[in-house]
Amino acid sequence: MAPAGAAAVAAHVRRQAGWCADLGSPLYAALLARAADDVDAGGPVAEALADHEGDPDDDALALRLAGTVHRLVLAREAPALALHYPSVGGTPGPPEQVWGAFRDVVAQRLPAVRAGLASAPQTNEVGRSAPLLGGLRHLAARAPLPVRLVEVGSSAGLNLRPDLVRVQGDDGWEGPRASPVALPGAWRGPVPRAGVRVVERRGSDVAPVDPATTQGRLRLTAYVWPDMAERLARLRGALELARRAPARLERSGAAAAVSALRPAEGAWTVVHHSVVRQYLPPAERDALDAALEALGGAASPASPVAHLALEPEGGRFVVRLRTWPDGDDAVLGTAAPHGVPVRWGDG
């Protein structure tokens, strides 16, 4: 890796270490900070990342590295590191000891690590059902119609069941009491008291993950940060919910999936995505925007269309809702990157 390329990669990994610290993962914060130092020193991490000097931050290279190593831990292929990963019952030890075990995995499993970097993170964070459900309640308050929910970049489609998730707002808990997914402290601020009835659940992804398979569950778990017990519990609950309420998943790009849609009489057609746009090539983003405009242009009062998204805008993660045929475009609130909490009315 050229010195300039190494410096850029190390800077990216350090930024991700800071974000992990801010978001509650001291394990990843410590590991990635040392991984950045290893890039500077020309160590095994530098060798693993050598072909990625020009990758933009939005490609999440550091998370690809961390998720690939976590997958080896989950697959019982990194026993020394597993002793420090809470996701498999371990307890983080002294930072230098944990780093040594991580570095050894990268060095000893270099081909597997390099191969894993080709895959974008498949977080499928279930906490993002909180802004989705709140957005759907805003729609139901406008027009109490059933919902055809279509998610692009859906990974395993775990956020296609927001109406089956239990959430806690300022006024207490709402949603099915028996739900295996509960989101404490999910909503702050007023949310319309309107019922949401989802009659169609459809997801698309360029590399969909089947949550019913062992490999699919392994892949999803690998991208949850191993010391974040609450997120891991949410994922386990979401996998159970997926078993109870199957959804249709298809292999498709975002623009192609939206282009194939048509509004439906007597129902909201809702296109949803969360933290997806940054992973799309610029041409695909433009094509998705054009497909959404075409779908919205075909809407009518009897067959309305909505675009509901949680995406970063200006340094914040914004819950934005666009509707057709009225052409409304509103920021409903802001949320944490993993979806919880949502601050409604924070425009």
Side-chain angles (χ1 to χ4, degrees):
M1 184 184 294
V9 170
H12 161 74
V13 177
R14 283 196 184 90
R15 283 193 293 274
Q16 184 61 61
W19 296 329
C20 288
D22 292 344
L23 292 170
S25 178
L27 176 65
Y28 269 6
L31 283 175
L32 291 178
R34 286 164 174 80
D37 292 341
D38 193 68
V39 172
D40 284 335
V45 176
E47 189 174 356
L49 305 183
D51 294 335
H52 297 271
E53 298 95 326
D55 290 10
D57 269 1
D58 284 350
D59 278 2
L61 178 62
L63 293 183
R64 293 178 189 233
L65 171 67
T68 298
V69 173
H70 191 195
R71 186 170 183 171
L72 293 172
V73 170
L74 293 167
R76 302 183 181 180
E77 298 178 27
L81 184 57
L83 295 173
H84 304 289
Y85 270 40
S87 55
V88 290
T91 302
E96 288 305 322
Q97 184 178 356
V98 184
W99 161 245
F102 185 98
R103 186 178 185 274
D104 286 347
V105 171
V106 176
Q108 295 164 10
R109 300 299 306 276
L110 190 60
V113 172
R114 290 176 65 89
L117 298 176
S119 300
Q122 290 276 15
T123 306
N124 214 183
E125 174 51 56
V126 186
R128 293 171 184 157
S129 281
L132 170 57
L133 178 59
L136 293 178
R137 284 177 57 162
H138 277 82
L139 282 179
R142 298 184 185 192
L145 299 172
V147 171
R148 302 166 67 218
L149 183 58
V150 181
E151 184 181 21
V152 296
S154 62
S155 184
L158 299 185
N159 284 313
L160 285 168
R161 303 161 184 87
D163 52 320
L164 306 180
V165 169
R166 190 160 172 76
V167 299
Q168 185 184 39
D170 292 342
D171 297 328
W173 286 93
E174 302 182 41
R177 291 181 179 274
S179 176
V181 178
L183 303 177
W187 289 346
R188 298 176 185 174
V191 185
R193 290 191 170 276
V196 173
R197 184 164 65 95
V198 180
V199 293
E200 183 178 346
R201 310 174 197 274
R202 186 192 310 178
S204 68
D205 197 281
V206 292
V209 178
D210 186 350
T213 66
T214 299
Q215 286 302 312
R217 292 190 292 269
L218 177 65
R219 181 174 176 79
L220 293 168
T221 307
Y223 289 105
V224 178
W225 302 351
D227 55 341
M228 301 190 81
E230 189 173 351
R231 290 181 62 203
L232 287 162
R234 287 201 297 255
L235 175 60
R236 288 191 291 270
L239 292 171
E240 170 59 20
L241 202 56
R243 186 188 67 81
R244 297 182 191 179
R248 175 182 169 187
L249 294 178
E250 59 186 25
R251 186 179 299 273
S252 172
V258 175
S259 295
L261 287 174
R262 298 294 181 271
E265 189 82 13
W268 280 104
T269 297
V270 181
V271 176
H272 168 64
H273 53 83
S274 58
V275 197
V276 165
R277 284 186 66 89
Q278 70 187 57
Y279 298 111
L280 301 179
E284 178 71 2
R285 292 179 205 169
D286 292 343
L288 174 60
D289 292 342
L292 285 166
E293 292 293 345
L295 177 63
S300 72
S303 53
V305 169
H307 173 212
L308 177 59
L310 171 68
E311 296 287 349
E313 295 183 21
R316 304 187 304 167
F317 284 77
V318 167
V319 186
R320 181 177 292 275
L321 177 64
R322 298 180 65 198
T323 52
W324 293 269
D326 59 16
D328 190 32
D329 184 350
V331 172
L332 302 181
T334 60
H338 296 140
V340 175
V342 188
R343 294 171 178 83
W344 299 108
D346 179 13

